[in-house]
Amino acid sequence: MLIKNNLERDFILRNYETDFLQRIRPSAILGYFQETAGQHSEEMGMGFAKLAEEDYFWVLSKIYVQIERRPQFMDKVRVETWPHAPNKAIFERSFTLSDEKGVAMRAFSRWCILKKSGRIVPASLVSQPDMEYRQEHSILFDDWRIPSVERKGEPDFSLRVANSEYDLNRHVNNIKYADYVFNCFSVRELEEHELRSFQIHYVKQSHEGDVLSFYRQEIEPGVFAVEGFKNMDETVISARVCFDRV
């Protein structure tokens, strides 16, 4: 049976998924994308339980989100996602998030499959679905390089990882890092600037007891690099955040 090459899913924006201005939080955006991609992976025969039979699991490597506008509390939104044909060990996936006015956000992501040992699994070793992959991307983007951040003084945000940060793979959930990145900015800064895009690169996993420290640096007007370190040693994530002044 031919499997659908996309999936659409509706959400109603809940209060705890919004910020202090009742706009959708970046972590909620990633949560909607993750849920929709996970459901489509199940339909493709590549879901969590199926991969676990081979001691495999999905890992989000990189994601870029471009924002036209941010829906607010109680808005109904529709997320559409579709994967692209895998290349060696990289699985790419596009997303759109739409409200009653049309497409409000577009995103492009890169994923890989890991063995429990941490090794990357080549796509050729993973059973592929009977599906015609879509070639068009939600957005054309290939600027994955993010400069390192110079660490000066105290971190802009830090925390010690506890159980509430975990996902089912027993490490910090991908979507949590979006909250950590934006905790590097003050309420006033987020009030005075309109978020236009953000991207996150996931470098290392973090576990219970790790101390995560995040530093930001303005690399051009309105554009910030953010880097998160584990135990002041290893980089766990890099991010870039772009604002316009309101």
Side-chain angles (χ1 to χ4, degrees), residues 185-231:
F185 300 90
S186 69
V187 169
R188 181 174 179 179
E189 286 176 312
L190 296 176
E191 284 178 325
E192 293 180 348
H193 295 82
E194 195 73 40
L195 179 62
R196 286 304 175 208
S197 69
F198 68 93
Q199 67 189 95
I200 300 178
H201 300 185
Y202 300 91
V203 181
K204 295 276 188 179
Q205 297 174 4
S206 301
H207 301 89
E208 184 179 24
D210 287 337
V211 175
L212 303 183
S213 303
F214 295 82
Y215 295 81
R216 71 177 226 196
Q217 183 176 339
E218 190 168 18
I219 54 179
E220 57 183 270
V223 180
F224 294 83
V226 178
E227 192 167 359
F229 298 88
K230 178 169 65 174
N231 304 322

Side-chain angles (χ1 to χ4, degrees), residues 63-222:
I63 188 164
Y64 169 77
V65 182
Q66 186 178 81
I67 299 170
E68 177 68 26
R69 60 186 171 277
R70 293 168 70 179
Q72 297 191 327
F73 173 54
M74 291 300 293
D75 284 351
K76 181 178 179 179
V77 299
R78 172 165 294 182
V79 172
E80 181 183 10
T81 186
W82 62 97
H84 306 287
N87 177 17
K88 294 184 179 178
I90 298 175
F91 296 79
E92 296 179 333
R93 182 174 280 273
S94 285
F95 298 90
T96 61
L97 185 149
S98 302
D99 57 17
E100 62 180 9
K101 298 178 182 178
V103 176
M105 302 182 191
R106 302 178 187 273
F108 183 62
S109 60
R110 287 183 169 177
W111 305 68
C112 60
I113 294 175
L114 297 185
K115 288 184 67 71
K116 292 296 183 182
S117 63
R119 287 194 171 190
I120 295 176
V121 179
S124 60
L125 297 183
V126 182
S127 178
Q128 298 296 316
D130 182 14
M131 183 180 72
E132 294 182 3
Y133 288 99
R134 286 169 59 174
Q135 294 185 356
E136 72 273 19
H137 293 63
S138 59
I139 187 169
L140 295 179
F141 180 80
D142 62 2
D143 185 13
W144 293 113
R145 183 182 176 278
I146 299 176
S148 296
V149 172
E150 199 174 338
R151 285 184 278 180
K152 292 182 178 179
E154 294 297 314
D156 294 286
F157 176 72
S158 63
L159 81 159
R160 183 182 296 275
V161 175
N163 69 84
S164 61
E165 313 302 312
Y166 263 31
D167 62 14
L168 45 75
N169 290 318
R170 291 178 176 259
H171 56 69
V172 173
N173 193 309
N174 290 334
I175 68 175
K176 294 281 190 175
Y177 288 103
D179 285 331
Y180 306 159
V181 166
F182 284 91
N183 280 347
C184 293
F185 300 90
S186 69
V187 169
R188 181 174 179 179
E189 286 176 312
L190 296 176
E191 284 178 325
E192 293 180 348
H193 295 82
E194 195 73 40
L195 179 62
R196 286 304 175 208
S197 69
F198 68 93
Q199 67 189 95
I200 300 178
H201 300 185
Y202 300 91
V203 181
K204 295 276 188 179
Q205 297 174 4
S206 301
H207 301 89
E208 184 179 24
D210 287 337
V211 175
L212 303 183
S213 303
F214 295 82
Y215 295 81
R216 71 177 226 196
Q217 183 176 339
E218 190 168 18
I219 54 179
E220 57 183 270

